[in-house]
Amino acid sequence: MVAGGLALLGLHDNRERVVRTIDPARLQVQRLDTALVDQETGVRGYALSGQKDFLAPYNQGMTEERNAIRALQAVIGQLPPSAAADLKSVTAQARFWRTHYAQPTIDRVSQAGKPVVSPDILNGKADFDALRARVDTLQAHISGTRTQAVAALNDSAAVLDGIFIAVAVGLAAI
């Protein structure tokens, strides 16, 4: 019975880790990625059109990014240390992209009152590609953590199954 209780506790802990920590983190990284792509789309649309309406995805993406980061920070301590480093790298690169490309582009178009093709467009694209690569790294580390956690969950289930079989066989022998 003690072995069964311990196995059940292990199963519960592993399940909770996947369901309450890792899967929500994966969802927030996807949300963060979408928010960043929305920002890039908004800046590009505004630069090409000069119409303020095109900044809506940029502004909404900023809000979504903050929300996703806040949600990730709530669980980051329960993930491997690489996840915290990856998140820090993503936020630093996002800030760099906004500071060196997005905001200057928005400012130039706002000042001109018309579309302005920035000579920095290739640098902005390269900076955003670096940002996406960092998001991909964060996603890969969290996915790897999930794979390990699901394997531990399956191992716990197998141990519990073995204990129940042993108990059933023992009771049948009585």
Side-chain angles (χ1 to χ4, degrees), residues 1-117:
M1 289 299 198
V2 171
L6 291 173
L8 193 55
L9 183 61
L11 180 68
H12 176 269
D13 290 347
N14 288 324
R15 182 184 160 281
E16 287 295 305
R17 182 158 191 256
V18 170
V19 171
R20 303 243 184 242
T21 303
I22 298 170
D23 282 350
R26 282 180 59 193
L27 177 64
Q28 293 307 320
V29 172
Q30 290 170 349
R31 187 174 163 206
L32 175 59
D33 185 44
T34 299
L36 293 168
V37 170
D38 286 350
Q39 289 175 53
E40 196 270 339
T41 300
V43 171
R44 188 172 0 99
Y46 183 56
L48 294 173
S49 72
Q51 297 177 19
K52 287 226 183 250
D53 292 351
F54 281 88
L55 282 178
Y58 178 80
N59 295 325
Q60 183 62 33
M62 294 279 293
T63 300
E64 287 297 315
E65 176 189 357
R66 283 190 297 274
N67 292 339
I69 289 171
R70 206 173 8 259
L72 278 165
Q73 288 171 334
V75 298
I76 205 78
Q78 299 168 48
L79 297 170
S82 63
D86 292 341
L87 181 58
K88 193 177 225 180
S89 176
V90 167
T91 57
Q93 183 64 30
R95 189 172 33 258
F96 181 85
W97 173 78
R98 274 192 297 277
T99 302
H100 290 92
Y101 175 73
Q103 200 55 56
T105 299
I106 291 169
D107 293 344
R108 275 194 290 279
V109 173
S110 294
Q111 289 169 359
K114 62 181 182 177
V116 175
V117 176

Side-chain angles (χ1 to χ4, degrees), residues 109-127:
V109 173
S110 294
Q111 289 169 359
K114 62 181 182 177
V116 175
V117 176
S118 170
D120 297 330
I121 196 165
L122 293 178
N123 291 337
K125 182 184 178 332
D127 292 342

